[in-house]
Amino acid sequence: MRASTRIPALAVAGVLALTSLTACGGGDSTSASGDKNDKVKIMVGGLDKVIYLPAMLTERLGYFEEEGVSVQLLTEPAGVQAETALVSGDVQGTVGFYDHTLDLQVKGKQVESVVQFSHAPGEVEIVSNRAADEIRSAKDFKGKKLGVTGIGSSTDFLTKYLAVNSDVQTSEFTPVAVGAGQTFISALQQGSIQGGMTTDPTVATILDKKLGKILIDMRTPEGSEQALGGPYPSSSLYMQTEWVNSHKKTVQKLANAFVRTLKWMSAHSADEIAAKMPADYAQGGGKALYVQAIKSTLPMFTKDGVMPADGPATVERVLKAFNPNLKNAEVDLAKTYTTEFVEKAN
């Protein structure tokens, strides 16, 4: 009932041509009010990534079931692919970066974060040992090949901002879509990329194998402040606004479940959290390394699911620094998130 599966890439490819939206369900069996059967499909931009840990942890803790909502978690390796599944109507929710809600708004799509998991990106810019002497800061991105999970993903967005903020134009380096986990590690080993942006547990594995070094660490609010100039709300549950408004009882149940998980995380150790997760999420690095990955990333998570006050403005400033679609666009930040459901959950 709550199986974790993956929609084949071809099933969602090309949807961001952004043709007309089917208003809601993509085959959802709920009624027009949306709350009869409480069945929801949620696409995650990488279920095994620590930055999206609350998705699977909520299921493992049994909170979806206790709230009376049947959730099917699906996975795609990059947030941009998870976004595509939402826009196409294949799923009703996405666990991905909040910044996609701004990007979609200027494309005419109303999407909003309903539970904000984090107030920092949780991302790390890694450089290979071979390139460590050439890349000492973002100023050295010029002429380099840098790994991102996917073109148009949040890792792509953040890499471009770091470059532009250091006077390197986006045309002066090459982003390479290498996914995460072993595909990212292989690209780094083979020299296909000199560095790139990724998350735990990939970061922990690279450091453990001594394949690379941390250049910029945004796993904490302090790291986010230093690199981006403010809190950067990233991983969240975001959904189409029209679906949210017509399925409020279901959305409230989801918010209740996720907020319970965030509170549980804040009261438990990395060891205790790791013990609840599927064993294969350690990506072959072993339990101790996975625990360390969770411990390093825990500071990014909120304790209540509430959007940080200055977060949306930081995200808008970052995106407008490099994104021509957003640079001169009017973004209504109030429509990119809601605290209605998390306030009730708290």
Side-chain angles (χ1 to χ4, degrees), residues 54-117:
M56 179 55 73
L57 182 58
T58 302
E59 180 176 290
R60 303 282 283 196
L61 290 171
Y63 290 164
F64 291 136
E65 186 174 4
E66 288 181 23
E67 288 294 335
V69 59
S70 174
V71 174
Q72 184 180 17
L73 296 175
L74 304 110
T75 187
E76 281 287 358
V80 66
Q81 293 164 333
E83 172 199 278
T84 302
L86 179 70
V87 171
S88 71
D90 287 327
V91 298
Q92 290 75 53
T94 293
V95 171
F97 268 38
Y98 160 72
D99 53 22
H100 290 290
T101 67
L102 281 72
D103 188 51
L104 285 170
Q105 188 184 107
V106 301
K107 295 173 181 174
K109 310 303 174 186
Q110 292 302 318
V111 174
E112 61 188 17
S113 166
V114 295
V115 183
Q116 195 58 50
F117 296 165

Side-chain angles (χ1 to χ4, degrees), residues 51-338:
I51 58 171
Y52 299 140
L53 182 149
M56 179 55 73
L57 182 58
T58 302
E59 180 176 290
R60 303 282 283 196
L61 290 171
Y63 290 164
F64 291 136
E65 186 174 4
E66 288 181 23
E67 288 294 335
V69 59
S70 174
V71 174
Q72 184 180 17
L73 296 175
L74 304 110
T75 187
E76 281 287 358
V80 66
Q81 293 164 333
E83 172 199 278
T84 302
L86 179 70
V87 171
S88 71
D90 287 327
V91 298
Q92 290 75 53
T94 293
V95 171
F97 268 38
Y98 160 72
D99 53 22
H100 290 290
T101 67
L102 281 72
D103 188 51
L104 285 170
Q105 188 184 107
V106 301
K107 295 173 181 174
K109 310 303 174 186
Q110 292 302 318
V111 174
E112 61 188 17
S113 166
V114 295
V115 183
Q116 195 58 50
F117 296 165
S118 64
H119 48 187
E123 301 282 353
V124 174
E125 185 70 26
I126 289 275
V127 295
S128 69
N129 288 335
R130 285 177 289 183
D133 290 337
E134 302 172 37
I135 308 176
R136 296 180 179 274
S137 73
K139 293 180 180 179
D140 300 319
F141 285 177
K142 189 174 181 178
K144 302 299 188 296
K145 292 181 179 179
L146 302 174
V148 297
T149 52
I151 304 303
S153 66
S154 296
T155 52
D156 186 28
F157 290 165
L158 288 171
T159 301
K160 287 176 177 174
Y161 173 77
L162 293 174
V164 169
N165 196 46
S166 295
D167 298 320
V168 177
Q169 299 305 307
T170 57
S171 60
E172 293 181 313
F173 70 95
T174 304
V176 182
V178 293
Q182 191 53 51
T183 55
F184 184 100
I185 294 169
S186 295
L188 200 68
Q189 285 178 304
Q190 295 165 9
S192 303
I193 56 174
Q194 286 81 55
M197 192 169 291
T198 191
T199 61
D200 277 312
T202 307
V203 174
T205 302
I206 290 170
L207 297 179
D208 182 65
K209 293 184 176 181
K210 297 179 171 55
L211 299 174
K213 300 176 181 179
I214 292 177
L215 184 70
I216 300 168
D217 193 340
M218 296 179 286
R219 291 176 292 185
T220 65
E222 295 78 16
S224 176
E225 180 76 36
Q226 184 175 354
L228 306 173
Y232 197 92
S234 56
S235 56
S236 64
L237 170 67
Y238 65 83
M239 313 178 88
Q240 291 186 44
T241 300
E242 184 176 2
W243 200 92
V244 171
N245 290 339
S246 60
H247 298 70
K248 287 197 171 187
K249 290 182 180 178
T250 301
V251 175
Q252 187 62 60
K253 291 177 181 180
L254 291 171
N256 292 346
F258 280 126
V259 168
R260 286 179 70 187
T261 297
L262 292 169
K263 290 182 182 298
W264 188 93
M265 288 170 62
S266 71
H268 290 78
S269 68
D271 281 281
E272 292 170 314
I273 294 170
K276 293 289 185 181
M277 302 300 288
D280 61 346
Y281 280 20
Q283 293 184 356
K287 181 182 177 182
L289 197 61
Y290 186 54
V291 169
Q292 181 56 49
I294 293 174
K295 186 176 181 180
S296 297
T297 307
L298 274 178
M300 72 174 281
F301 293 107
T302 67
K303 296 180 180 180
D304 54 13
V306 176
M307 175 68 73
D310 300 329
T314 303
V315 173
E316 181 182 25
R317 176 176 51 76
V318 166
L319 295 182
K320 286 191 172 186
F322 67 86
N323 190 325
N325 294 326
L326 278 150
K327 191 169 186 178
N328 298 312
E330 289 292 330
V331 179
D332 189 343
L333 292 178
K335 292 182 178 180
T336 62
Y337 70 97
T338 177

Side-chain angles (χ1 to χ4, degrees), residues 27-47:
D28 186 11
S29 60
T30 55
S31 66
S33 67
D35 302 311
K36 183 178 179 181
N37 298 318
D38 288 321
K39 293 183 179 180
V40 181
K41 293 179 182 178
I42 297 177
M43 181 66 78
V44 184
L47 262 173

